[in-house]
Every structure is written in structure tokens, then in C-alpha cells.
Amino acid sequence: MIIKKSDLQFVTELVAATVDFDFNGDTDSKMMTNLLFDKLKDLKVIGLTANQVGVNQRVFVIGMEDTKLVFFNPKINSYSEDTITLPEGTA
């Protein structure tokens, strides 16, 4: 599947379970990264997941000042039982 920036629309309803990003598929990882960072800038947010804009793949980006991070197929390896409550801040 070839994805264009104009295809990315902010999703407001529940989306299907995401699937791993396929590095051998039609969508290039660099193109996906650029599309998500462009949309992140358009929305004026610091973090964006692919499924928030209708792409059903496990990819997310974080952009703050001069720092840009992209994560493909992230996995949680460990976690703490400690919790901190913070206000929600997504678009």
C-alpha cells in the first residue's frame, strides 16, 4: 500500500488492532517517518501514532524542539508497578 500525506486523516473513532510495520512491504520506512512528522507538525503535537491517522501499523513518532524520535514495532520489555497520574495532552 502506497501512502500519501493527503491520505492521513486524524481518526476520532476506535481503530482495528495494529500490525507490525513490514519493512519489506510497499511503504518505505523513511517515507512513513516523513509523513508522520509532517502530520505531527500540521497538528501541532509532540507525539503521534500511525493508527491515529488511519494507518494500521505499529509506528509512532515524537518531536520536541531539535529532537525527533521514530519507533517501529515497539515492544514493552519491562515496566514498573509504580504509577504517576498526568493530564492527557494529545490532540
Side-chain angles (χ1 to χ4, degrees), residues 21-36:
F21 181 83
D22 181 4
F23 287 95
N24 297 314
D26 292 336
T27 304
D28 178 68
S29 60
K30 186 172 183 126
M31 182 182 78
M32 174 65 77
T33 300
N34 290 336
L35 287 170
L36 288 174

Side-chain angles (χ1 to χ4, degrees), residues 10-11 45-49 52 84-91:
F10 195 73
V11 176
V45 296
I46 63 168
L48 186 67
T49 64
Q52 285 178 293
I84 298 172
T85 303
L86 298 171
E88 171 63 41
T90 59

Side-chain angles (χ1 to χ4, degrees), residues 3 12 48 57 85:
I3 302 170
T12 57
L48 186 67
Q57 296 181 340
T85 303

Side-chain angles (χ1 to χ4, degrees), residues 33-88:
T33 300
N34 290 336
L35 287 170
L36 288 174
F37 275 117
D38 286 349
K39 194 65 172 179
L40 177 129
K41 185 178 177 183
D42 291 348
L43 293 170
K44 296 179 175 75
V45 296
I46 63 168
L48 186 67
T49 64
N51 65 342
Q52 285 178 293
V53 290
V55 178
N56 190 26
Q57 296 181 340
R58 290 187 182 108
V59 182
F60 72 92
V61 295
I62 298 172
M64 298 179 296
E65 298 175 7
D66 294 332
T67 302
K68 287 186 174 182
L69 303 170
V70 61
F71 298 85
F72 288 92
N73 306 327
K75 305 238 187 283
I76 298 172
N77 295 321
S78 65
Y79 63 93
S80 169
E81 294 293 330
D82 297 337
T83 59
I84 298 172
T85 303
L86 298 171
E88 171 63 41

